[in-house]
Amino acid sequence: MDVIAAIATGVNPTAIGIVRVSGEGCFALCERVFRAANGRPFADQEPRKMAFGEMLDRDGQVIDQGLAVRFPGPNSYTGEDCAEFHCHGSPVVLRELLSALFAAGARQAQAGEFTKRAFLNGRMDLTQAEAVVDLIDAETAAGARNAAAQLEGGLRRTLEPIQDALLEITSRFYAVVDYPDEDIADVRPEEIAAALRDAAGRLDRLLDTCRRGRVLKSGVRTAIVGRPNAGKSSLLNALAGYERAIVTDVPGTTRDTVEESVLCGGVLLRLIDTAGIRDTEDVVEQMGVERSRQAAASAELVIVLIDGTGDITGEDQEILALAQTAPHFIIAMSKSDLLPAGFAHVLRRDENARKPDACLSISSVAPGGLRPLERALARIFPAGEPGEAGSLLTDARQEDAARRARDAVHRALEALEGGMTPDAVLTDAEEALDALGELTGRTAREEIVTRIFSRFCVGK
């Protein structure tokens, strides 16, 4: 493959900047842009150990002093010869060093090409490659831990027993058919049924992780709804930690949705602060109210704020009915710091109506006033057990492949239990194997691989 090079750090000035190189013959190119202080050629530097020296531009002029390290293949990130230059993080220095590498024969690396080469060279499977970008994009500690464990092969290890069982079924069947004169034990229907039931159970449990995986990776789309002046914008500001939305005593201040990502109770919330829902003659406010309704309809979690200092109104009841259409909803009495001791509201609700996931009192200004909300969110969206890290399905592609594998296994089991011969079951078992291979990258089509690596930044 060509020698590729790219700046692996950001475009803004930083203390340290890194330029990465990979490909057969890259050590010879690096020799032309780096002069080691110990006087040894770059290819003779001790592997995986930093060497101090001077960085040279395309004219051989010194542009910086820093460190360089070489990683001989196949024991490198990409599986081929690799090198990195660690210099001062001036964008000018990084560009000059990269330009010198281009002049020496390297080309600009495409987005995600280093990790793509690692995948193509067998250094990681597709789930591990996806974990790389998930780790870069992680917005919570739990999300980072899950991505790191997946990068170490957590999801692959979950899939391997399923693949091994299905391969045992298919390979033994073909062996019996292709070599009838050999003393190969036939595959008994009860053995096939046991293996298929085990595979189906494992895939069912894996698919049960989809929701937690999506929450860890993408967060929870959350709409804050309520009447005007219920404290919606105050709650958004308290969660965000700064004045994200305008707060006044004038009802109807918020006319449009305001969005912000926050961490609450260890859960990443994609918050949408909405306009107060009420009947109004103001055309602009009417548009805001309609957007509030749309936000609630598309949210996974709706937080209904009810002003704890006033009476429950018909509008509050209508908003509660709207919130019940969401997968999860919380009723929060706001302004608990202003309520008299022992004060509690009793909502007059239809006994047949769906119960909220939590009903609590909060304050956006009092110390510890949001702790009830934090505890409720941690309970509704649990992070899972530490041992599960790395074995969660985190995106739609993984979920789709696992679901197709599970469905194929169930079809194979139904066919077997319906009296079909083992060869008829084989087609569904092979379809399940193909879907699992697509998940790990063994049988993934080129367009799928290309789409995955297009998510990466240049230099990774």
PDB file of all heavy atoms in Angstrom, residues 362-390:
ATOM      1  N   ILE A 362     -38.488  19.377  42.625  1.00  0.00           N
ATOM      2  CA  ILE A 362     -37.131  19.847  42.357  1.00  0.00           C
ATOM      3  C   ILE A 362     -37.048  21.356  42.542  1.00  0.00           C
ATOM      4  O   ILE A 362     -38.058  22.050  42.582  1.00  0.00           O
ATOM      5  CB  ILE A 362     -36.676  19.495  40.929  1.00  0.00           C
ATOM      6  CG1 ILE A 362     -37.578  20.196  39.893  1.00  0.00           C
ATOM      7  CG2 ILE A 362     -36.648  17.999  40.697  1.00  0.00           C
ATOM      8  CD1 ILE A 362     -37.076  20.075  38.467  1.00  0.00           C
ATOM      9  N   SER A 363     -35.818  21.821  42.649  1.00  0.00           N
ATOM     10  CA  SER A 363     -35.545  23.256  42.654  1.00  0.00           C
ATOM     11  C   SER A 363     -34.331  23.511  41.773  1.00  0.00           C
ATOM     12  O   SER A 363     -33.319  22.805  41.878  1.00  0.00           O
ATOM     13  CB  SER A 363     -35.264  23.768  44.068  1.00  0.00           C
ATOM     14  OG  SER A 363     -34.799  25.107  44.020  1.00  0.00           O
ATOM     15  N   SER A 364     -34.443  24.491  40.901  1.00  0.00           N
ATOM     16  CA  SER A 364     -33.339  24.827  40.015  1.00  0.00           C
ATOM     17  C   SER A 364     -32.357  25.801  40.644  1.00  0.00           C
ATOM     18  O   SER A 364     -31.325  26.112  40.050  1.00  0.00           O
ATOM     19  CB  SER A 364     -33.872  25.429  38.699  1.00  0.00           C
ATOM     20  OG  SER A 364     -34.687  24.495  38.029  1.00  0.00           O
ATOM     21  N   VAL A 365     -32.649  26.292  41.863  1.00  0.00           N
ATOM     22  CA  VAL A 365     -31.783  27.289  42.496  1.00  0.00           C
ATOM     23  C   VAL A 365     -31.240  26.828  43.849  1.00  0.00           C
ATOM     24  O   VAL A 365     -30.160  27.253  44.254  1.00  0.00           O
ATOM     25  CB  VAL A 365     -32.522  28.641  42.666  1.00  0.00           C
ATOM     26  CG1 VAL A 365     -32.880  29.219  41.302  1.00  0.00           C
ATOM     27  CG2 VAL A 365     -33.770  28.489  43.526  1.00  0.00           C
ATOM     28  N   ALA A 366     -31.957  25.978  44.565  1.00  0.00           N
ATOM     29  CA  ALA A 366     -31.508  25.548  45.890  1.00  0.00           C
ATOM     30  C   ALA A 366     -30.392  24.518  45.767  1.00  0.00           C
ATOM     31  O   ALA A 366     -30.402  23.691  44.853  1.00  0.00           O
ATOM     32  CB  ALA A 366     -32.678  24.955  46.673  1.00  0.00           C
ATOM     33  N   PRO A 367     -29.418  24.539  46.667  1.00  0.00           N
ATOM     34  CA  PRO A 367     -28.352  23.523  46.651  1.00  0.00           C
ATOM     35  C   PRO A 367     -28.947  22.122  46.766  1.00  0.00           C
ATOM     36  O   PRO A 367     -29.769  21.862  47.628  1.00  0.00           O
ATOM     37  CB  PRO A 367     -27.496  23.876  47.869  1.00  0.00           C
ATOM     38  CG  PRO A 367     -27.766  25.331  48.118  1.00  0.00           C
ATOM     39  CD  PRO A 367     -29.194  25.547  47.741  1.00  0.00           C
ATOM     40  N   GLY A 368     -28.531  21.249  45.880  1.00  0.00           N
ATOM     41  CA  GLY A 368     -29.045  19.880  45.891  1.00  0.00           C
ATOM     42  C   GLY A 368     -30.454  19.748  45.395  1.00  0.00           C
ATOM     43  O   GLY A 368     -31.051  18.668  45.505  1.00  0.00           O
ATOM     44  N   GLY A 369     -31.001  20.815  44.817  1.00  0.00           N
ATOM     45  CA  GLY A 369     -32.399  20.793  44.400  1.00  0.00           C
ATOM     46  C   GLY A 369     -32.700  19.875  43.237  1.00  0.00           C
ATOM     47  O   GLY A 369     -33.860  19.535  42.995  1.00  0.00           O
ATOM     48  N   LEU A 370     -31.668  19.454  42.502  1.00  0.00           N
ATOM     49  CA  LEU A 370     -31.890  18.581  41.342  1.00  0.00           C
ATOM     50  C   LEU A 370     -31.543  17.126  41.630  1.00  0.00           C
ATOM     51  O   LEU A 370     -31.605  16.279  40.735  1.00  0.00           O
ATOM     52  CB  LEU A 370     -31.058  19.078  40.150  1.00  0.00           C
ATOM     53  CG  LEU A 370     -31.415  20.470  39.620  1.00  0.00           C
ATOM     54  CD1 LEU A 370     -30.568  20.797  38.411  1.00  0.00           C
ATOM     55  CD2 LEU A 370     -32.901  20.564  39.255  1.00  0.00           C
ATOM     56  N   ARG A 371     -31.153  16.833  42.864  1.00  0.00           N
ATOM     57  CA  ARG A 371     -30.765  15.457  43.180  1.00  0.00           C
ATOM     58  C   ARG A 371     -31.901  14.454  42.955  1.00  0.00           C
ATOM     59  O   ARG A 371     -31.649  13.326  42.508  1.00  0.00           O
ATOM     60  CB  ARG A 371     -30.254  15.381  44.614  1.00  0.00           C
ATOM     61  CG  ARG A 371     -28.838  15.928  44.748  1.00  0.00           C
ATOM     62  CD  ARG A 371     -28.340  15.891  46.162  1.00  0.00           C
ATOM     63  NE  ARG A 371     -27.088  16.646  46.294  1.00  0.00           N
ATOM     64  CZ  ARG A 371     -26.690  17.266  47.380  1.00  0.00           C
ATOM     65  NH1 ARG A 371     -27.467  17.238  48.456  1.00  0.00           N
ATOM     66  NH2 ARG A 371     -25.549  17.916  47.416  1.00  0.00           N
ATOM     67  N   PRO A 372     -33.157  14.787  43.295  1.00  0.00           N
ATOM     68  CA  PRO A 372     -34.230  13.822  42.996  1.00  0.00           C
ATOM     69  C   PRO A 372     -34.307  13.473  41.511  1.00  0.00           C
ATOM     70  O   PRO A 372     -34.550  12.315  41.158  1.00  0.00           O
ATOM     71  CB  PRO A 372     -35.493  14.555  43.467  1.00  0.00           C
ATOM     72  CG  PRO A 372     -35.013  15.505  44.515  1.00  0.00           C
ATOM     73  CD  PRO A 372     -33.674  15.963  44.037  1.00  0.00           C
ATOM     74  N   LEU A 373     -34.072  14.464  40.654  1.00  0.00           N
ATOM     75  CA  LEU A 373     -34.089  14.207  39.213  1.00  0.00           C
ATOM     76  C   LEU A 373     -32.903  13.330  38.817  1.00  0.00           C
ATOM     77  O   LEU A 373     -33.037  12.413  37.995  1.00  0.00           O
ATOM     78  CB  LEU A 373     -34.053  15.530  38.454  1.00  0.00           C
ATOM     79  CG  LEU A 373     -34.042  15.439  36.925  1.00  0.00           C
ATOM     80  CD1 LEU A 373     -35.292  14.723  36.417  1.00  0.00           C
ATOM     81  CD2 LEU A 373     -33.938  16.831  36.302  1.00  0.00           C
ATOM     82  N   GLU A 374     -31.740  13.590  39.393  1.00  0.00           N
ATOM     83  CA  GLU A 374     -30.554  12.786  39.084  1.00  0.00           C
ATOM     84  C   GLU A 374     -30.780  11.320  39.454  1.00  0.00           C
ATOM     85  O   GLU A 374     -30.447  10.412  38.685  1.00  0.00           O
ATOM     86  CB  GLU A 374     -29.337  13.340  39.834  1.00  0.00           C
ATOM     87  CG  GLU A 374     -28.895  14.726  39.361  1.00  0.00           C
ATOM     88  CD  GLU A 374     -27.823  15.322  40.262  1.00  0.00           C
ATOM     89  OE1 GLU A 374     -27.513  14.702  41.309  1.00  0.00           O
ATOM     90  OE2 GLU A 374     -27.300  16.395  39.928  1.00  0.00           O
ATOM     91  N   ARG A 375     -31.356  11.091  40.646  1.00  0.00           N
ATOM     92  CA  ARG A 375     -31.598   9.716  41.085  1.00  0.00           C
ATOM     93  C   ARG A 375     -32.613   9.021  40.180  1.00  0.00           C
ATOM     94  O   ARG A 375     -32.472   7.836  39.857  1.00  0.00           O
ATOM     95  CB  ARG A 375     -32.073   9.711  42.542  1.00  0.00           C
ATOM     96  CG  ARG A 375     -30.988  10.090  43.552  1.00  0.00           C
ATOM     97  CD  ARG A 375     -31.434   9.765  44.974  1.00  0.00           C
ATOM     98  NE  ARG A 375     -32.516  10.644  45.400  1.00  0.00           N
ATOM     99  CZ  ARG A 375     -32.354  11.782  46.055  1.00  0.00           C
ATOM    100  NH1 ARG A 375     -31.130  12.210  46.354  1.00  0.00           N
ATOM    101  NH2 ARG A 375     -33.386  12.510  46.422  1.00  0.00           N
ATOM    102  N   ALA A 376     -33.637   9.760  39.760  1.00  0.00           N
ATOM    103  CA  ALA A 376     -34.659   9.168  38.898  1.00  0.00           C
ATOM    104  C   ALA A 376     -34.074   8.778  37.542  1.00  0.00           C
ATOM    105  O   ALA A 376     -34.359   7.693  37.019  1.00  0.00           O
ATOM    106  CB  ALA A 376     -35.819  10.149  38.718  1.00  0.00           C
ATOM    107  N   LEU A 377     -33.262   9.640  36.973  1.00  0.00           N
ATOM    108  CA  LEU A 377     -32.668   9.346  35.669  1.00  0.00           C
ATOM    109  C   LEU A 377     -31.728   8.147  35.741  1.00  0.00           C
ATOM    110  O   LEU A 377     -31.706   7.308  34.832  1.00  0.00           O
ATOM    111  CB  LEU A 377     -31.914  10.577  35.151  1.00  0.00           C
ATOM    112  CG  LEU A 377     -32.787  11.757  34.726  1.00  0.00           C
ATOM    113  CD1 LEU A 377     -31.939  12.994  34.476  1.00  0.00           C
ATOM    114  CD2 LEU A 377     -33.587  11.394  33.476  1.00  0.00           C
ATOM    115  N   ALA A 378     -30.940   8.067  36.813  1.00  0.00           N
ATOM    116  CA  ALA A 378     -30.028   6.928  36.969  1.00  0.00           C
ATOM    117  C   ALA A 378     -30.796   5.621  37.070  1.00  0.00           C
ATOM    118  O   ALA A 378     -30.317   4.567  36.637  1.00  0.00           O
ATOM    119  CB  ALA A 378     -29.149   7.134  38.198  1.00  0.00           C
ATOM    120  N   ARG A 379     -32.007   5.676  37.651  1.00  0.00           N
ATOM    121  CA  ARG A 379     -32.825   4.468  37.766  1.00  0.00           C
ATOM    122  C   ARG A 379     -33.495   4.117  36.447  1.00  0.00           C
ATOM    123  O   ARG A 379     -33.559   2.943  36.060  1.00  0.00           O
ATOM    124  CB  ARG A 379     -33.885   4.670  38.857  1.00  0.00           C
ATOM    125  CG  ARG A 379     -34.853   3.498  39.017  1.00  0.00           C
ATOM    126  CD  ARG A 379     -35.844   3.750  40.140  1.00  0.00           C
ATOM    127  NE  ARG A 379     -36.567   5.011  39.968  1.00  0.00           N
ATOM    128  CZ  ARG A 379     -37.598   5.164  39.146  1.00  0.00           C
ATOM    129  NH1 ARG A 379     -38.037   4.144  38.406  1.00  0.00           N
ATOM    130  NH2 ARG A 379     -38.221   6.328  39.067  1.00  0.00           N
ATOM    131  N   ILE A 380     -33.983   5.131  35.718  1.00  0.00           N
ATOM    132  CA  ILE A 380     -34.696   4.883  34.463  1.00  0.00           C
ATOM    133  C   ILE A 380     -33.751   4.429  33.360  1.00  0.00           C
ATOM    134  O   ILE A 380     -34.081   3.574  32.536  1.00  0.00           O
ATOM    135  CB  ILE A 380     -35.459   6.151  34.028  1.00  0.00           C
ATOM    136  CG1 ILE A 380     -36.499   6.525  35.081  1.00  0.00           C
ATOM    137  CG2 ILE A 380     -36.142   5.944  32.677  1.00  0.00           C
ATOM    138  CD1 ILE A 380     -37.105   7.910  34.871  1.00  0.00           C
ATOM    139  N   PHE A 381     -32.556   5.016  33.352  1.00  0.00           N
ATOM    140  CA  PHE A 381     -31.577   4.686  32.307  1.00  0.00           C
ATOM    141  C   PHE A 381     -30.300   4.158  32.965  1.00  0.00           C
ATOM    142  O   PHE A 381     -29.276   4.840  32.996  1.00  0.00           O
ATOM    143  CB  PHE A 381     -31.270   5.917  31.459  1.00  0.00           C
ATOM    144  CG  PHE A 381     -32.471   6.502  30.781  1.00  0.00           C
ATOM    145  CD1 PHE A 381     -33.099   7.636  31.307  1.00  0.00           C
ATOM    146  CD2 PHE A 381     -32.993   5.929  29.633  1.00  0.00           C
ATOM    147  CE1 PHE A 381     -34.212   8.177  30.687  1.00  0.00           C
ATOM    148  CE2 PHE A 381     -34.114   6.467  29.013  1.00  0.00           C
ATOM    149  CZ  PHE A 381     -34.729   7.584  29.540  1.00  0.00           C
ATOM    150  N   PRO A 382     -30.348   2.941  33.512  1.00  0.00           N
ATOM    151  CA  PRO A 382     -29.183   2.404  34.222  1.00  0.00           C
ATOM    152  C   PRO A 382     -28.015   2.171  33.271  1.00  0.00           C
ATOM    153  O   PRO A 382     -28.198   1.793  32.107  1.00  0.00           O
ATOM    154  CB  PRO A 382     -29.701   1.091  34.808  1.00  0.00           C
ATOM    155  CG  PRO A 382     -30.817   0.687  33.896  1.00  0.00           C
ATOM    156  CD  PRO A 382     -31.462   1.970  33.458  1.00  0.00           C
ATOM    157  N   ALA A 383     -26.818   2.391  33.775  1.00  0.00           N
ATOM    158  CA  ALA A 383     -25.613   2.190  32.960  1.00  0.00           C
ATOM    159  C   ALA A 383     -25.299   0.719  32.787  1.00  0.00           C
ATOM    160  O   ALA A 383     -24.511   0.355  31.910  1.00  0.00           O
ATOM    161  CB  ALA A 383     -24.425   2.906  33.608  1.00  0.00           C
ATOM    162  N   GLY A 384     -25.882  -0.157  33.612  1.00  0.00           N
ATOM    163  CA  GLY A 384     -25.598  -1.577  33.507  1.00  0.00           C
ATOM    164  C   GLY A 384     -24.439  -1.977  34.398  1.00  0.00           C
ATOM    165  O   GLY A 384     -23.810  -1.158  35.057  1.00  0.00           O
ATOM    166  N   GLU A 385     -24.171  -3.264  34.412  1.00  0.00           N
ATOM    167  CA  GLU A 385     -23.094  -3.791  35.232  1.00  0.00           C
ATOM    168  C   GLU A 385     -21.750  -3.518  34.580  1.00  0.00           C
ATOM    169  O   GLU A 385     -21.640  -3.504  33.348  1.00  0.00           O
ATOM    170  CB  GLU A 385     -23.269  -5.296  35.438  1.00  0.00           C
ATOM    171  CG  GLU A 385     -24.553  -5.679  36.156  1.00  0.00           C
ATOM    172  CD  GLU A 385     -24.618  -5.095  37.557  1.00  0.00           C
ATOM    173  OE1 GLU A 385     -23.564  -5.024  38.216  1.00  0.00           O
ATOM    174  OE2 GLU A 385     -25.716  -4.704  37.983  1.00  0.00           O
ATOM    175  N   PRO A 386     -20.690  -3.306  35.380  1.00  0.00           N
ATOM    176  CA  PRO A 386     -19.359  -3.066  34.807  1.00  0.00           C
ATOM    177  C   PRO A 386     -18.918  -4.165  33.850  1.00  0.00           C
ATOM    178  O   PRO A 386     -18.247  -3.898  32.850  1.00  0.00           O
ATOM    179  CB  PRO A 386     -18.453  -2.991  36.045  1.00  0.00           C
ATOM    180  CG  PRO A 386     -19.356  -2.574  37.152  1.00  0.00           C
ATOM    181  CD  PRO A 386     -20.676  -3.205  36.852  1.00  0.00           C
ATOM    182  N   GLY A 387     -19.316  -5.403  34.120  1.00  0.00           N
ATOM    183  CA  GLY A 387     -18.911  -6.518  33.265  1.00  0.00           C
ATOM    184  C   GLY A 387     -19.533  -6.483  31.889  1.00  0.00           C
ATOM    185  O   GLY A 387     -19.092  -7.191  30.978  1.00  0.00           O
ATOM    186  N   GLU A 388     -20.609  -5.676  31.725  1.00  0.00           N
ATOM    187  CA  GLU A 388     -21.257  -5.577  30.418  1.00  0.00           C
ATOM    188  C   GLU A 388     -20.524  -4.657  29.462  1.00  0.00           C
ATOM    189  O   GLU A 388     -20.784  -4.671  28.256  1.00  0.00           O
ATOM    190  CB  GLU A 388     -22.688  -5.061  30.581  1.00  0.00           C
ATOM    191  CG  GLU A 388     -23.657  -6.032  31.211  1.00  0.00           C
ATOM    192  CD  GLU A 388     -25.056  -5.458  31.263  1.00  0.00           C
ATOM    193  OE1 GLU A 388     -25.198  -4.263  31.572  1.00  0.00           O
ATOM    194  OE2 GLU A 388     -26.005  -6.200  30.989  1.00  0.00           O
ATOM    195  N   ALA A 389     -19.627  -3.837  29.974  1.00  0.00           N
ATOM    196  CA  ALA A 389     -18.936  -2.860  29.129  1.00  0.00           C
ATOM    197  C   ALA A 389     -18.273  -3.563  27.957  1.00  0.00           C
ATOM    198  O   ALA A 389     -17.585  -4.562  28.106  1.00  0.00           O
ATOM    199  CB  ALA A 389     -17.892  -2.092  29.941  1.00  0.00           C
ATOM    200  N   GLY A 390     -18.510  -3.018  26.769  1.00  0.00           N
ATOM    201  CA  GLY A 390     -17.917  -3.576  25.561  1.00  0.00           C
ATOM    202  C   GLY A 390     -18.794  -4.582  24.862  1.00  0.00           C
ATOM    203  O   GLY A 390     -18.531  -4.940  23.714  1.00  0.00           O
TER     204      GLY A 390
END
